Amino acid sequence: MSQSPSSHKAPSRNASNKKIQAIRGMNDLLPDQSVLWQYVEGQVRLLMQRYGYDEIRTPIVEQTALFARSIGEVTDIVEKEMYTFEDRNGDSLTLRPEGTASCVRAAIEHGLLHNQTQRLWYQGPMFRHERPQKGRYRQFHQVGVETFGLEGPDIDAEVILLSARLWKQLGLFEQVTLELNSLGATEARAAYRETLMAYFEQHHEQLDEDSRRRLTSNPLRILDSKNPDMAGMLADAPRLIDHLDDDSRAHFEQLCALLDAAGIDYVINPRLVRGLDYYGRTVFEWTTTALGSQGTICAGGRYDALVEQLGGKPTPAVGFALGIERLILLLETLALVPESALGRLDLYLLPVDDSGTRQTLLLAERLRNALPGLRAQLHCGGGSFKSRIKKADKSGARLALLVGEDEVATGKATLKFLRDDRDQLSLDQEALIDTLSDLLVDEGA
């Protein structure tokens, strides 16, 4: 219960001077890291434009009931991981732990599903209270794709092909594996659930504590257990894919045929169930062996019942989500970060002394006007010529542009190559623009 302002104790002097650090598992993104994020996010945005998907942005805080109803009351996320609190009105609110439920809520609320189809995507922070580890944090970031109003296997294939194209753009396609399964329709899945429960009851002594807790509430999640002591028993468990209804089987076979035609290799994994209750029929994951046990980098599938479950009309839907932190970790682990993604400066402009400050500032603006792709930084803060050159080198720029008394008098500037063994050039402003333009083209800028 919140206290009134007058009941708060004044902080002690020591407390007010104590350094405040970031919350565990919620990390700062520093400038040397953000350039790589910008690269990945730029690749994602370009990809979505090419496929005709529209961006949607939803709040990071929603009513708790949204996630309890969609994800499932007995999932780990709802039971253990959500950041839930009461606001000043006594309403239960939750920091979103995933994006699909919010996207569905927004689509229903704003009438996006009335006799129309939608192809949507989003990116942003999600929140789960779990043990932080490399590539998995309490505040993490996802890119999500959600499509509505399309029930055939063709849209399932499209979202998988879209994700495959992202791996190709990033140079990761040879490092990932597509795993597929079908969970079938609700009725067939309910019948299979009874069969599975009977099997697990026969092997009750082999179940760990977590699995026994799930036995009556969510037995399919037991199939996803990573407990090595249960591996043999799980391998012999009844397979959902052998209990599919006819329509789901035909849907899955058509999806596989479309992926075969598109040249996308896949592995059918009968133990793939996904951790969220709203999935049905197609489920898939992209996995890698390069990150150890944290091998899933993208996952999704069909959730045809979720729109109706959240108050809308029955609407078929399929989508996926990928974790940006884990994707970037994979790029770094495999040394697949291109030089262009590092955001290095092209040019550092420095007045040789304070007499050249005005001329250099104006020249920097003219160059930015003439060369929109130029990444240029102006030296500010004075200092000796030696310290200015050191800052130019430390900036990482390929080139330095020097403006001193002579350059001010003649209207020229001196172009110095910081990374190449080449003679410096004295150029007037028109020649400078042409030279920089040629250099940018040569470097693929």
Side-chain angles (χ1 to χ4, degrees):
M1 185 175 177
S2 61
Q3 296 177 302
S4 64
S6 60
S7 66
H8 286 293
K9 292 181 179 180
S12 67
R13 180 178 298 275
N14 289 340
S16 65
N17 291 338
K18 185 177 179 181
K19 289 183 179 179
I20 299 175
Q21 295 184 317
I23 298 168
R24 184 169 182 246
M26 300 186 180
N27 302 328
D28 298 309
L29 190 62
L30 302 180
D32 63 338
Q33 301 164 312
S34 65
V35 290
L36 180 51
W37 281 63
Q38 291 167 12
Y39 163 71
V40 170
E41 290 166 351
Q43 291 293 313
V44 167
R45 186 172 296 278
L46 174 63
L47 178 71
M48 299 305 173
Q49 291 170 350
R50 294 180 68 188
Y51 276 78
Y53 283 61
D54 298 317
E55 185 179 9
I56 185 169
R57 303 188 185 195
T58 61
I60 63 170
V61 179
E62 299 270 11
Q63 294 184 44
T64 301
L66 173 66
F67 304 113
R69 285 169 57 185
S70 60
I71 296 171
E73 294 276 8
V74 294
T75 58
D76 284 350
I77 294 173
V78 172
E79 287 184 330
K80 303 177 183 178
E81 299 172 1
M82 295 202 312
Y83 281 92
T84 297
F85 60 95
E86 281 194 4
D87 73 356
R88 291 172 183 262
N89 296 324
D91 297 323
S92 180
L93 305 181
T94 295
L95 296 176
R96 63 184 182 194
E98 58 95 43
T100 299
S102 294
C103 188
V104 172
R105 189 269 311 150
I108 295 171
E109 183 174 338
H110 299 287
L112 301 184
L113 306 180
H114 292 167
N115 301 316
Q116 56 189 312
T117 62
Q118 295 288 349
R119 288 174 165 94
L120 305 175
W121 76 278
Y122 52 84
Q123 63 181 358
M126 312 291 166
F127 303 85
R128 296 185 191 177
H129 190 282
E130 54 186 341
R131 185 172 63 86
Q133 52 190 293
K134 196 169 187 181
R136 176 177 288 179
Y137 306 107
R138 291 176 176 173
Q139 177 177 315
F140 58 100
H141 298 76
Q142 284 187 339
V143 168
V145 161
E146 317 291 355
T147 70
F148 301 99
L150 300 162
E151 60 183 355
D154 49 355
I155 189 63
D156 299 29
E158 181 182 272
V159 298
I160 291 172
L161 290 171
L162 183 154
S163 57
R165 189 173 294 276
L166 179 60
W167 315 142
K168 293 173 182 176
Q169 286 179 197
L170 297 174
L172 289 170
F173 190 64
E174 300 302 322
Q175 307 294 333
V176 295
T177 299
L178 174 63
E179 298 185 12
L180 285 179
N181 193 21
S182 177
L183 302 182
T186 303
E187 297 78 8
R189 194 161 61 254
Y192 169 73
R193 184 179 184 273
E194 296 301 319
T195 302
L196 191 63
M197 285 177 64
Y199 173 81
F200 286 142
E201 285 289 4
Q202 294 172 8
H203 299 83
H204 193 272
E205 71 285 351
Q206 294 178 250
L207 298 177
D208 58 22
E209 184 180 346
D210 227 23
S211 298
R212 290 175 183 173
R213 182 177 57 84
R214 289 172 169 160
L215 183 55
T216 56
S217 60
N218 197 353
L220 269 69
R221 290 289 287 120
I222 299 175
L223 296 172
D224 202 31
S225 172
K226 302 299 189 291
N227 187 339
D229 295 334
M230 294 169 47
M233 182 267 293
L234 293 178
D236 294 333
R239 304 192 319 163
L240 178 53
I241 203 166
D242 296 329
H243 293 73
L244 294 180
D245 54 287
D246 291 341
D247 287 346
S248 295
R249 187 180 304 280
H251 185 103
F252 190 64
E253 290 173 351
Q254 292 170 41
L255 170 61
C256 292
L258 289 170
L259 295 176
D260 290 338
I264 300 295
D265 294 332
Y266 55 87
V267 174
I268 296 177
N269 177 0
R271 308 295 172 211
L272 180 59
V273 295
R274 303 295 302 125
L276 307 178
D277 281 359
Y278 52 63
Y279 283 110
R281 288 197 172 181
T282 304
V283 288
F284 66 91
E285 290 186 354
W286 287 97
T287 62
T288 180
T289 59
L291 297 179
S293 61
Q294 302 300 320
T296 301
I297 60 169
C298 173
R302 275 206 164 269
Y303 50 96
D304 293 341
L306 183 56
V307 175
E308 185 177 14
Q309 187 178 325
L310 292 178
K313 294 181 178 180
T315 305
V318 61
F320 68 76
L322 63 90
I324 299 181
E325 282 90 349
R326 202 170 297 182
L327 180 55
I328 287 176
L329 178 60
L330 182 59
L331 290 171
E332 292 176 326
T333 299
L334 298 173
L336 291 174
V337 180
E339 283 290 319
S340 60
L342 299 178
R344 293 195 175 122
L345 290 173
D346 298 307
L347 183 66
Y348 190 90
L349 299 98
L350 69 151
V352 172
D353 53 41
D354 291 345
S355 66
T357 297
R358 177 177 176 276
Q359 179 95 356
T360 310
L361 184 143
L362 297 177
L363 179 56
E365 291 305 304
R366 182 178 180 188
L367 293 176
R368 292 187 182 107
N369 290 338
L371 302 167
L374 180 70
R375 293 166 294 186
Q377 186 175 95
L378 176 68
H379 176 87
C380 296
S384 67
F385 177 68
K386 184 178 180 180
S387 70
R388 296 179 191 214
I389 286 292
K390 280 186 176 180
K391 287 185 177 180
D393 187 59
K394 189 177 180 180
S395 74
R398 296 162 44 213
L399 305 162
L401 195 64
L402 283 63
V403 178
E405 289 184 5
D406 292 344
E407 286 80 6
V408 170
T410 61
K412 293 185 176 183
T414 299
L415 188 65
K416 182 177 179 62
F417 295 86
L418 298 175
R419 313 295 164 204
D420 301 314
D421 186 16
R422 296 173 58 175
D423 293 336
Q424 60 188 33
L425 304 173
S426 179
L427 303 166
D428 61 36
Q429 293 191 13
E430 290 301 327
L432 176 61
I433 291 170
D434 291 340
T435 300
L436 288 174
S437 178
D438 291 342
L439 289 171
L440 289 175
V441 170
D442 289 345
E443 292 294 323

